Amino acid sequence: MDTSRINDPRTPPCAPAAGCDVVTVPARQGLEAVDILRRGPGDAVGPVLHDDGGDTLGFLVPPGTAAGWDVPGSTCTQTDGRGQTLAPEPPVEGSDWLLPPGEADLATDPAVLREALGEAARMIKAADSCR
């Protein structure tokens, strides 16, 4: 499994055997980011998890992403290949797929995700300031 746009040898592709890191964001920002990514060219968004409470979304990204992730308001969990694999069943108890593997086979490119989350945050801030 390859990432959608990244060819950086320091960020290996997300494969079932290797696992994926997970970027977790508040649901509102995450849903905006999914919309932004789906409007973009190509396969810009990979599998996405949501928690049962609907409070957060988790974007599967290539392993190693957590080491350099620094986006405010989000976290990136390193799995070291343990647990976050692309299988039909959600890899985290209490979660379900928003975009399951098969519909979104590629891990989300961390650089593209970073841009989408920034744009989503700006859109939310602008919408909230109009109230």
Side-chain angles (χ1 to χ4, degrees), residues 40-72:
D43 298 324
V45 63
V48 179
L49 292 161
H50 68 84
D51 66 353
D52 283 339
D55 296 331
T56 61
L57 291 185
F59 292 83
L60 273 62
V61 294
T65 300
W69 191 258
D70 61 354
V71 176

PDB file of all heavy atoms in Angstrom, residues 40-72:
ATOM      1  N   GLY A  40     -10.178  17.373  -3.665  1.00  0.00           N
ATOM      2  CA  GLY A  40      -8.868  17.532  -4.288  1.00  0.00           C
ATOM      3  C   GLY A  40      -8.630  16.496  -5.377  1.00  0.00           C
ATOM      4  O   GLY A  40      -9.433  15.586  -5.593  1.00  0.00           O
ATOM      5  N   PRO A  41      -7.504  16.629  -6.057  1.00  0.00           N
ATOM      6  CA  PRO A  41      -7.174  15.695  -7.137  1.00  0.00           C
ATOM      7  C   PRO A  41      -6.745  14.331  -6.603  1.00  0.00           C
ATOM      8  O   PRO A  41      -6.136  14.228  -5.545  1.00  0.00           O
ATOM      9  CB  PRO A  41      -6.008  16.386  -7.842  1.00  0.00           C
ATOM     10  CG  PRO A  41      -5.367  17.219  -6.781  1.00  0.00           C
ATOM     11  CD  PRO A  41      -6.486  17.658  -5.873  1.00  0.00           C
ATOM     12  N   GLY A  42      -7.098  13.307  -7.325  1.00  0.00           N
ATOM     13  CA  GLY A  42      -6.630  11.964  -7.010  1.00  0.00           C
ATOM     14  C   GLY A  42      -7.168  11.410  -5.705  1.00  0.00           C
ATOM     15  O   GLY A  42      -8.212  11.803  -5.209  1.00  0.00           O
ATOM     16  N   ASP A  43      -6.401  10.479  -5.163  1.00  0.00           N
ATOM     17  CA  ASP A  43      -6.755   9.798  -3.917  1.00  0.00           C
ATOM     18  C   ASP A  43      -6.095  10.515  -2.754  1.00  0.00           C
ATOM     19  O   ASP A  43      -5.122  10.043  -2.188  1.00  0.00           O
ATOM     20  CB  ASP A  43      -6.300   8.339  -3.953  1.00  0.00           C
ATOM     21  CG  ASP A  43      -6.969   7.547  -5.045  1.00  0.00           C
ATOM     22  OD1 ASP A  43      -8.158   7.813  -5.297  1.00  0.00           O
ATOM     23  OD2 ASP A  43      -6.311   6.674  -5.643  1.00  0.00           O
ATOM     24  N   ALA A  44      -6.624  11.670  -2.386  1.00  0.00           N
ATOM     25  CA  ALA A  44      -5.979  12.495  -1.370  1.00  0.00           C
ATOM     26  C   ALA A  44      -6.271  12.041   0.049  1.00  0.00           C
ATOM     27  O   ALA A  44      -5.556  12.407   0.967  1.00  0.00           O
ATOM     28  CB  ALA A  44      -6.385  13.956  -1.539  1.00  0.00           C
ATOM     29  N   VAL A  45      -7.325  11.261   0.277  1.00  0.00           N
ATOM     30  CA  VAL A  45      -7.666  10.845   1.637  1.00  0.00           C
ATOM     31  C   VAL A  45      -7.718   9.322   1.706  1.00  0.00           C
ATOM     32  O   VAL A  45      -8.281   8.668   0.845  1.00  0.00           O
ATOM     33  CB  VAL A  45      -8.999  11.487   2.115  1.00  0.00           C
ATOM     34  CG1 VAL A  45     -10.171  11.045   1.287  1.00  0.00           C
ATOM     35  CG2 VAL A  45      -9.242  11.200   3.582  1.00  0.00           C
ATOM     36  N   GLY A  46      -7.074   8.808   2.745  1.00  0.00           N
ATOM     37  CA  GLY A  46      -7.077   7.373   2.982  1.00  0.00           C
ATOM     38  C   GLY A  46      -8.156   7.005   3.974  1.00  0.00           C
ATOM     39  O   GLY A  46      -9.064   7.791   4.249  1.00  0.00           O
ATOM     40  N   PRO A  47      -8.060   5.811   4.552  1.00  0.00           N
ATOM     41  CA  PRO A  47      -9.054   5.384   5.530  1.00  0.00           C
ATOM     42  C   PRO A  47      -9.134   6.330   6.724  1.00  0.00           C
ATOM     43  O   PRO A  47      -8.130   6.874   7.171  1.00  0.00           O
ATOM     44  CB  PRO A  47      -8.541   4.006   5.966  1.00  0.00           C
ATOM     45  CG  PRO A  47      -7.732   3.530   4.804  1.00  0.00           C
ATOM     46  CD  PRO A  47      -7.081   4.768   4.253  1.00  0.00           C
ATOM     47  N   VAL A  48     -10.368   6.530   7.204  1.00  0.00           N
ATOM     48  CA  VAL A  48     -10.617   7.442   8.324  1.00  0.00           C
ATOM     49  C   VAL A  48     -11.521   6.744   9.324  1.00  0.00           C
ATOM     50  O   VAL A  48     -12.543   6.162   8.951  1.00  0.00           O
ATOM     51  CB  VAL A  48     -11.293   8.752   7.841  1.00  0.00           C
ATOM     52  CG1 VAL A  48     -11.581   9.680   9.016  1.00  0.00           C
ATOM     53  CG2 VAL A  48     -10.441   9.454   6.794  1.00  0.00           C
ATOM     54  N   LEU A  49     -11.148   6.802  10.596  1.00  0.00           N
ATOM     55  CA  LEU A  49     -11.931   6.245  11.697  1.00  0.00           C
ATOM     56  C   LEU A  49     -12.722   7.341  12.395  1.00  0.00           C
ATOM     57  O   LEU A  49     -12.298   8.501  12.400  1.00  0.00           O
ATOM     58  CB  LEU A  49     -11.004   5.618  12.742  1.00  0.00           C
ATOM     59  CG  LEU A  49     -10.246   4.369  12.343  1.00  0.00           C
ATOM     60  CD1 LEU A  49      -9.060   4.173  13.277  1.00  0.00           C
ATOM     61  CD2 LEU A  49     -11.165   3.176  12.379  1.00  0.00           C
ATOM     62  N   HIS A  50     -13.849   6.969  12.991  1.00  0.00           N
ATOM     63  CA  HIS A  50     -14.539   7.894  13.900  1.00  0.00           C
ATOM     64  C   HIS A  50     -14.856   7.121  15.169  1.00  0.00           C
ATOM     65  O   HIS A  50     -15.047   5.908  15.145  1.00  0.00           O
ATOM     66  CB  HIS A  50     -15.801   8.495  13.278  1.00  0.00           C
ATOM     67  CG  HIS A  50     -16.913   7.523  13.050  1.00  0.00           C
ATOM     68  ND1 HIS A  50     -17.818   7.166  14.015  1.00  0.00           N
ATOM     69  CD2 HIS A  50     -17.243   6.824  11.943  1.00  0.00           C
ATOM     70  CE1 HIS A  50     -18.671   6.281  13.519  1.00  0.00           C
ATOM     71  NE2 HIS A  50     -18.340   6.057  12.263  1.00  0.00           N
ATOM     72  N   ASP A  51     -14.855   7.836  16.290  1.00  0.00           N
ATOM     73  CA  ASP A  51     -15.173   7.168  17.552  1.00  0.00           C
ATOM     74  C   ASP A  51     -16.687   7.063  17.685  1.00  0.00           C
ATOM     75  O   ASP A  51     -17.435   7.775  17.014  1.00  0.00           O
ATOM     76  CB  ASP A  51     -14.540   7.886  18.738  1.00  0.00           C
ATOM     77  CG  ASP A  51     -15.107   9.279  18.973  1.00  0.00           C
ATOM     78  OD1 ASP A  51     -15.889   9.758  18.153  1.00  0.00           O
ATOM     79  OD2 ASP A  51     -14.758   9.872  20.000  1.00  0.00           O
ATOM     80  N   ASP A  52     -17.125   6.142  18.528  1.00  0.00           N
ATOM     81  CA  ASP A  52     -18.563   5.918  18.692  1.00  0.00           C
ATOM     82  C   ASP A  52     -19.283   7.136  19.234  1.00  0.00           C
ATOM     83  O   ASP A  52     -20.452   7.348  18.946  1.00  0.00           O
ATOM     84  CB  ASP A  52     -18.825   4.706  19.592  1.00  0.00           C
ATOM     85  CG  ASP A  52     -18.615   3.398  18.839  1.00  0.00           C
ATOM     86  OD1 ASP A  52     -18.667   3.408  17.587  1.00  0.00           O
ATOM     87  OD2 ASP A  52     -18.405   2.364  19.503  1.00  0.00           O
ATOM     88  N   GLY A  53     -18.610   7.974  20.013  1.00  0.00           N
ATOM     89  CA  GLY A  53     -19.225   9.182  20.542  1.00  0.00           C
ATOM     90  C   GLY A  53     -19.300  10.295  19.521  1.00  0.00           C
ATOM     91  O   GLY A  53     -19.956  11.305  19.740  1.00  0.00           O
ATOM     92  N   GLY A  54     -18.598  10.127  18.401  1.00  0.00           N
ATOM     93  CA  GLY A  54     -18.610  11.133  17.353  1.00  0.00           C
ATOM     94  C   GLY A  54     -17.780  12.357  17.672  1.00  0.00           C
ATOM     95  O   GLY A  54     -17.928  13.390  17.033  1.00  0.00           O
ATOM     96  N   ASP A  55     -16.875  12.258  18.651  1.00  0.00           N
ATOM     97  CA  ASP A  55     -16.088  13.416  19.076  1.00  0.00           C
ATOM     98  C   ASP A  55     -14.817  13.619  18.261  1.00  0.00           C
ATOM     99  O   ASP A  55     -14.318  14.732  18.154  1.00  0.00           O
ATOM    100  CB  ASP A  55     -15.703  13.295  20.542  1.00  0.00           C
ATOM    101  CG  ASP A  55     -16.909  13.314  21.465  1.00  0.00           C
ATOM    102  OD1 ASP A  55     -17.927  13.942  21.108  1.00  0.00           O
ATOM    103  OD2 ASP A  55     -16.832  12.691  22.535  1.00  0.00           O
ATOM    104  N   THR A  56     -14.260  12.528  17.710  1.00  0.00           N
ATOM    105  CA  THR A  56     -12.993  12.624  16.997  1.00  0.00           C
ATOM    106  C   THR A  56     -13.008  11.791  15.722  1.00  0.00           C
ATOM    107  O   THR A  56     -13.788  10.853  15.580  1.00  0.00           O
ATOM    108  CB  THR A  56     -11.814  12.130  17.866  1.00  0.00           C
ATOM    109  OG1 THR A  56     -12.015  10.762  18.206  1.00  0.00           O
ATOM    110  CG2 THR A  56     -11.658  12.969  19.126  1.00  0.00           C
ATOM    111  N   LEU A  57     -12.103  12.170  14.821  1.00  0.00           N
ATOM    112  CA  LEU A  57     -11.818  11.381  13.623  1.00  0.00           C
ATOM    113  C   LEU A  57     -10.349  11.024  13.660  1.00  0.00           C
ATOM    114  O   LEU A  57      -9.524  11.794  14.176  1.00  0.00           O
ATOM    115  CB  LEU A  57     -12.095  12.165  12.343  1.00  0.00           C
ATOM    116  CG  LEU A  57     -13.538  12.500  12.003  1.00  0.00           C
ATOM    117  CD1 LEU A  57     -13.603  13.165  10.630  1.00  0.00           C
ATOM    118  CD2 LEU A  57     -14.413  11.279  12.012  1.00  0.00           C
ATOM    119  N   GLY A  58     -10.008   9.880  13.113  1.00  0.00           N
ATOM    120  CA  GLY A  58      -8.622   9.434  13.033  1.00  0.00           C
ATOM    121  C   GLY A  58      -8.242   9.131  11.597  1.00  0.00           C
ATOM    122  O   GLY A  58      -8.853   8.279  10.952  1.00  0.00           O
ATOM    123  N   PHE A  59      -7.254   9.848  11.078  1.00  0.00           N
ATOM    124  CA  PHE A  59      -6.755   9.643   9.721  1.00  0.00           C
ATOM    125  C   PHE A  59      -5.570   8.696   9.776  1.00  0.00           C
ATOM    126  O   PHE A  59      -4.610   8.957  10.503  1.00  0.00           O
ATOM    127  CB  PHE A  59      -6.296  10.973   9.116  1.00  0.00           C
ATOM    128  CG  PHE A  59      -7.402  11.951   8.851  1.00  0.00           C
ATOM    129  CD1 PHE A  59      -7.882  12.765   9.866  1.00  0.00           C
ATOM    130  CD2 PHE A  59      -7.958  12.067   7.587  1.00  0.00           C
ATOM    131  CE1 PHE A  59      -8.894  13.682   9.628  1.00  0.00           C
ATOM    132  CE2 PHE A  59      -8.976  12.977   7.342  1.00  0.00           C
ATOM    133  CZ  PHE A  59      -9.451  13.779   8.361  1.00  0.00           C
ATOM    134  N   LEU A  60      -5.606   7.607   9.004  1.00  0.00           N
ATOM    135  CA  LEU A  60      -4.469   6.712   8.943  1.00  0.00           C
ATOM    136  C   LEU A  60      -3.421   7.317   8.024  1.00  0.00           C
ATOM    137  O   LEU A  60      -3.725   7.732   6.900  1.00  0.00           O
ATOM    138  CB  LEU A  60      -4.894   5.333   8.443  1.00  0.00           C
ATOM    139  CG  LEU A  60      -5.382   4.392   9.551  1.00  0.00           C
ATOM    140  CD1 LEU A  60      -6.612   4.914  10.246  1.00  0.00           C
ATOM    141  CD2 LEU A  60      -5.602   3.001   9.026  1.00  0.00           C
ATOM    142  N   VAL A  61      -2.218   7.428   8.546  1.00  0.00           N
ATOM    143  CA  VAL A  61      -1.089   8.028   7.839  1.00  0.00           C
ATOM    144  C   VAL A  61       0.070   7.040   7.886  1.00  0.00           C
ATOM    145  O   VAL A  61       0.063   6.098   8.685  1.00  0.00           O
ATOM    146  CB  VAL A  61      -0.694   9.388   8.470  1.00  0.00           C
ATOM    147  CG1 VAL A  61      -1.792  10.427   8.279  1.00  0.00           C
ATOM    148  CG2 VAL A  61      -0.354   9.241   9.941  1.00  0.00           C
ATOM    149  N   PRO A  62       1.096   7.234   7.052  1.00  0.00           N
ATOM    150  CA  PRO A  62       2.219   6.292   7.035  1.00  0.00           C
ATOM    151  C   PRO A  62       2.922   6.211   8.386  1.00  0.00           C
ATOM    152  O   PRO A  62       2.968   7.199   9.127  1.00  0.00           O
ATOM    153  CB  PRO A  62       3.157   6.888   5.984  1.00  0.00           C
ATOM    154  CG  PRO A  62       2.284   7.727   5.123  1.00  0.00           C
ATOM    155  CD  PRO A  62       1.228   8.277   6.038  1.00  0.00           C
ATOM    156  N   PRO A  63       3.473   5.035   8.700  1.00  0.00           N
ATOM    157  CA  PRO A  63       4.237   4.906   9.939  1.00  0.00           C
ATOM    158  C   PRO A  63       5.412   5.868   9.932  1.00  0.00           C
ATOM    159  O   PRO A  63       6.000   6.142   8.890  1.00  0.00           O
ATOM    160  CB  PRO A  63       4.705   3.445   9.940  1.00  0.00           C
ATOM    161  CG  PRO A  63       4.563   2.976   8.539  1.00  0.00           C
ATOM    162  CD  PRO A  63       3.519   3.809   7.885  1.00  0.00           C
ATOM    163  N   GLY A  64       5.719   6.402  11.090  1.00  0.00           N
ATOM    164  CA  GLY A  64       6.801   7.366  11.226  1.00  0.00           C
ATOM    165  C   GLY A  64       6.318   8.805  11.231  1.00  0.00           C
ATOM    166  O   GLY A  64       7.065   9.709  11.581  1.00  0.00           O
ATOM    167  N   THR A  65       5.065   9.023  10.857  1.00  0.00           N
ATOM    168  CA  THR A  65       4.508  10.378  10.819  1.00  0.00           C
ATOM    169  C   THR A  65       4.513  11.014  12.202  1.00  0.00           C
ATOM    170  O   THR A  65       4.769  12.207  12.355  1.00  0.00           O
ATOM    171  CB  THR A  65       3.077  10.355  10.243  1.00  0.00           C
ATOM    172  OG1 THR A  65       3.119   9.832   8.919  1.00  0.00           O
ATOM    173  CG2 THR A  65       2.456  11.739  10.222  1.00  0.00           C
ATOM    174  N   ALA A  66       4.242  10.223  13.229  1.00  0.00           N
ATOM    175  CA  ALA A  66       4.123  10.756  14.594  1.00  0.00           C
ATOM    176  C   ALA A  66       5.400  11.469  15.045  1.00  0.00           C
ATOM    177  O   ALA A  66       5.332  12.442  15.801  1.00  0.00           O
ATOM    178  CB  ALA A  66       3.768   9.642  15.570  1.00  0.00           C
ATOM    179  N   ALA A  67       6.538  11.020  14.568  1.00  0.00           N
ATOM    180  CA  ALA A  67       7.807  11.606  15.003  1.00  0.00           C
ATOM    181  C   ALA A  67       7.917  13.088  14.653  1.00  0.00           C
ATOM    182  O   ALA A  67       8.552  13.850  15.380  1.00  0.00           O
ATOM    183  CB  ALA A  67       8.976  10.840  14.387  1.00  0.00           C
ATOM    184  N   GLY A  68       7.278  13.526  13.572  1.00  0.00           N
ATOM    185  CA  GLY A  68       7.400  14.918  13.180  1.00  0.00           C
ATOM    186  C   GLY A  68       6.087  15.676  13.160  1.00  0.00           C
ATOM    187  O   GLY A  68       6.024  16.778  12.626  1.00  0.00           O
ATOM    188  N   TRP A  69       5.031  15.104  13.735  1.00  0.00           N
ATOM    189  CA  TRP A  69       3.718  15.739  13.688  1.00  0.00           C
ATOM    190  C   TRP A  69       3.636  16.852  14.721  1.00  0.00           C
ATOM    191  O   TRP A  69       3.916  16.639  15.899  1.00  0.00           O
ATOM    192  CB  TRP A  69       2.617  14.713  13.932  1.00  0.00           C
ATOM    193  CG  TRP A  69       1.263  15.254  13.628  1.00  0.00           C
ATOM    194  CD1 TRP A  69       0.331  15.685  14.516  1.00  0.00           C
ATOM    195  CD2 TRP A  69       0.694  15.448  12.333  1.00  0.00           C
ATOM    196  NE1 TRP A  69      -0.788  16.128  13.858  1.00  0.00           N
ATOM    197  CE2 TRP A  69      -0.589  15.997  12.509  1.00  0.00           C
ATOM    198  CE3 TRP A  69       1.138  15.219  11.039  1.00  0.00           C
ATOM    199  CZ2 TRP A  69      -1.428  16.313  11.446  1.00  0.00           C
ATOM    200  CZ3 TRP A  69       0.309  15.519   9.979  1.00  0.00           C
ATOM    201  CH2 TRP A  69      -0.968  16.059  10.193  1.00  0.00           C
ATOM    202  N   ASP A  70       3.235  18.055  14.298  1.00  0.00           N
ATOM    203  CA  ASP A  70       3.196  19.196  15.206  1.00  0.00           C
ATOM    204  C   ASP A  70       2.018  20.125  14.922  1.00  0.00           C
ATOM    205  O   ASP A  70       2.111  21.326  15.115  1.00  0.00           O
ATOM    206  CB  ASP A  70       4.507  19.981  15.125  1.00  0.00           C
ATOM    207  CG  ASP A  70       4.763  20.545  13.735  1.00  0.00           C
ATOM    208  OD1 ASP A  70       3.999  20.238  12.793  1.00  0.00           O
ATOM    209  OD2 ASP A  70       5.727  21.296  13.575  1.00  0.00           O
ATOM    210  N   VAL A  71       0.905  19.583  14.475  1.00  0.00           N
ATOM    211  CA  VAL A  71      -0.250  20.408  14.135  1.00  0.00           C
ATOM    212  C   VAL A  71      -1.070  20.665  15.402  1.00  0.00           C
ATOM    213  O   VAL A  71      -1.561  19.713  16.026  1.00  0.00           O
ATOM    214  CB  VAL A  71      -1.113  19.728  13.044  1.00  0.00           C
ATOM    215  CG1 VAL A  71      -2.354  20.546  12.757  1.00  0.00           C
ATOM    216  CG2 VAL A  71      -0.289  19.517  11.781  1.00  0.00           C
ATOM    217  N   PRO A  72      -1.220  21.938  15.792  1.00  0.00           N
ATOM    218  CA  PRO A  72      -1.989  22.252  16.993  1.00  0.00           C
ATOM    219  C   PRO A  72      -3.429  21.729  16.895  1.00  0.00           C
ATOM    220  O   PRO A  72      -4.040  21.757  15.829  1.00  0.00           O
ATOM    221  CB  PRO A  72      -1.986  23.782  17.040  1.00  0.00           C
ATOM    222  CG  PRO A  72      -0.797  24.184  16.221  1.00  0.00           C
ATOM    223  CD  PRO A  72      -0.673  23.147  15.145  1.00  0.00           C
TER     224      PRO A  72
END
